[in-house]
Each structure stands twice: as C-alpha cells, then as structure tokens.
Amino acid sequence: FGFEVFDKNSLEQLFINYANELLHQLFIDDMFKHEQKVYRDEQIGWEAVDYTDNSGCVALIDGRVGVLTLLDEECVVPKGTDQAFKQKLEQRFAGNDYFLGEVATMKTMRASRRGGRGGGSGGGGGGRGGG
C-alpha cells in the first residue's frame, strides 16, 4: 500500500504510514463501499468500481493482536528487548500476506551493512538493549 520505505525506518515513520493507511481506509469506506451500497439499494444504474481494500494492512498494525499491541506488550515486560519483539512479530504474522517476513533490528541492520559481521559498536542508534 502507501508505505514509504527508507534506508532506516523509525517508529515515527511507522505512525506516519499507519495514519496514511487509516485515511486511505476512510476514503475507501466512504467513497467506494458506502456509495456503491447506496446505488445498489436505490437501484441506480452504475458500473462497479474495483478498489483495493487495505483493511488487512490496517488490522496487521492495530488489530486485537497487531504490531502495536505486541510493541506495547514488549515495552512493559521487564527487560523487554528488540530481539524478543522481533521474534514475536515473526511468529505471530508468519502467514500474514501483509507481513513481508524478517524484521530487522538495529543489530541485524548493522551486521548487514558490514557484510554479515554481527554486533559491535558503530552503525545506527542503540534502541532499547538486547537489539
């Protein structure tokens, strides 16, 4: 959908993308779903408009057990780590069409930028422990 992808995405970018998806969903609901239902109900001749429904993408982020719920959970767990959060995401959303697979942590991003060498100092910001 309308997600912007940068070399380094932040939590702030996730919220920007999420807000855009919510606005997109509101537009779809109002302009397509609702209006087409009105036309059907009033038996007005019209040609159906195909549209992409992003509700699955929005549910991935804010669903009952979505990304934000898992993030909140990991933030309140004593000694919660980026790695534990990453594992929860990968386990929970492994079969979800909107989840693209492996989640990078600061440590894995640094390792991939150095040609596979793990951890160490330097590279992007620190995150919250465990990385």
Side-chain angles (χ1 to χ4, degrees), residues 7-9 82-83 85-87 89-90 99 101-113 131:
D7 287 340
K8 179 181 176 186
N9 281 310
D82 294 343
Q83 186 65 30
F85 177 57
K86 173 186 179 294
Q87 289 172 346
L89 290 175
E90 290 170 353
F99 186 73
E102 183 174 320
V103 177
T105 62
M106 293 308 290
K107 187 174 183 177
T108 59
M109 286 189 295
R110 286 192 299 263
S112 68
R113 288 187 184 128

Side-chain angles (χ1 to χ4, degrees), residues 5 13 22 25 40 44 47-48 62 72 76-77 90 98 111 127:
V5 178
Q13 187 61 47
L22 287 175
Q25 186 178 41
R40 272 193 308 275
I44 298 172
E47 190 172 315
D62 74 0
D72 186 48
V76 298
V77 170
E90 290 170 353
Y98 295 95

Side-chain angles (χ1 to χ4, degrees), residues 1-17:
F1 288 94
F3 277 47
E4 294 183 79
V5 178
F6 300 103
D7 287 340
K8 179 181 176 186
N9 281 310
S10 64
L11 184 61
E12 178 184 23
Q13 187 61 47
L14 172 66
F15 288 137
I16 290 167
N17 291 339

